[in-house]
Amino acid sequence: MTNSAEPVRFPDSFIWGAATASYQIEGAAREDGRGPSIWDTFSRTPGKVHHGHTGDVACDHYHRYRDDVALMAELGLHTYRFSIAWPRVRPDGTGPVNPYGLDFYDRLVDELRGHGIEPIVTLYHWDLPQPLEDRGGWTNRETAEFFAEYARAVYTRLGDRVNTWTTLNEPWCSAYLGYGNGVHAPGRADAGAAFQAVHHLLLGHGLANQALRAAGASTVGITVNPVAVSPADPHSDADARAVHLVDGLQNRIFLDPLLRGGYPADVLDHMRRFTGVEHIRDGDEKIIGEPIDLLGINYYSPTYVAGRDGAPGSDAYPGTEGVEFVPPAPPLTDMGWQIQPSGMTALLEKLGRDYPGVPLMITENGAAFPDQPDAGGDQVADTSRIDYLDGHLRAAHAAITAGVDLRGYLVWSLLDNFEWALGYAKRFGIVYVDYLTQRRVPKASARWYQEVIRRNGVG
Ligand code: IFM
């Protein structure tokens, strides 16, 4: 148990919130002119998603957003990070804007502000309009340009009431899981396509950043999921080389063009094993590297690697043959992810050192556990989640104490929801969702988090 430790208090300006994403909670997949996304197609493809689950209904947030916002207000959230479904706003990805799709977010933003909750908008949390995938998806440069047009359309409608904009969520997942190993939509398994997707996602971010700023946005950022990659043996040169490779593919491939002006040479060489780099045109890195105001960090668990002849590597990291990904050591969450709060401190400190000058926010952190309500259905005693969150908040606080410019913390997630290829089998929420009745039951962790926010700290 970590939560018997000393109390810690955060800076007065610290921002507390929760996060969700459109396809994972909204439902209403065919309402008010929403077009199909790659996740609608993927979840209908036999064998791709656990038990054939889809986001058709999800948490029915599209219809229940008022109650959900009331719950957020009851918990005392300062901010709520949600994503906009691109196929609601521009159903075919290229044609006219659908005003009815934007109406929903208009209502949601008003509801949030009416309750004193600051919206943080993510423009892309993985639900690409299917018609754009039919033209090549993120392997096609045009998708980046269409993304900037879509960003501009959303800003035009919501920019008077939304101050903080993040372009992409976790482009590593979109590129490597969507195009590299096919575990996520659109389900392509082609390493070259994954690296093309990396670049076009980053270019899309850069073009959207320009478009948002030109339209008047004051705070623009991106959310990534960097990992603290460590060697299995700190004295092994082979393990150090494995760390450098995986760090390149997970972290530096995104962070260096965003914050240091260009791709690292070793990463470009690695990409050339799978695809030419003609799609990286002169001037692209300048667009990608334009200043951002906030870097969102999603942290869940650490990664340990070793250099071993004959190790197969991981299909989530193209070209990592000879790297052993060390199986996570207990304690684990229900995702099988290692629980190691100190990994968060180490990561934040490393980011602060390697990429100084940009404020950070934990835009996701949380854990899945197999929660069950009690016999009466009114209590969910998720003490493991409380321990997880307590440990990670202390880890975040340690990073602040060490000088990291960390502005806020958003728990993943407000609600149990559609966990992508794992469907509804994994529960990340601090609020339990009964998918048969859509009843929401705040778990013990929700009440605990309410108190954290009230005290501005843990313990
Ligand atoms: O559910 C996801 C979320 O969509 C992106 N970050 C990780 C979460 C847990 O897997």
Side-chain angles (χ1 to χ4, degrees), residues 30-48:
R30 290 182 196 80
E31 276 181 57
D32 297 331
R34 177 186 178 281
S37 80
I38 53 174
W39 272 95
D40 295 292
T41 308
F42 189 73
S43 61
R44 280 183 174 65
T45 308
K48 296 297 186 191

Side-chain angles (χ1 to χ4, degrees), residues 24 125-126 169-170 300 335 337 364 412 419-420 428:
Q24 295 183 271
H125 199 127
W126 309 353
N169 180 74
E170 300 181 7
Y300 289 89
M335 297 290 280
W337 295 349
E364 288 183 25
W412 184 270
E419 178 52 25
W420 307 112
F428 274 92

Side-chain angles (χ1 to χ4, degrees), residues 7 47 106 140 149 176 183 230 236 247 300 307 335-336 342 363 381-383 391 447:
D106 203 288
N140 181 352
E149 285 178 14
Y176 291 25
V183 168
S230 303
S236 156
D247 177 57
Y300 289 89
M335 297 290 280
S342 61
T363 38
D382 59 337
T383 47
R447 297 303 173 203

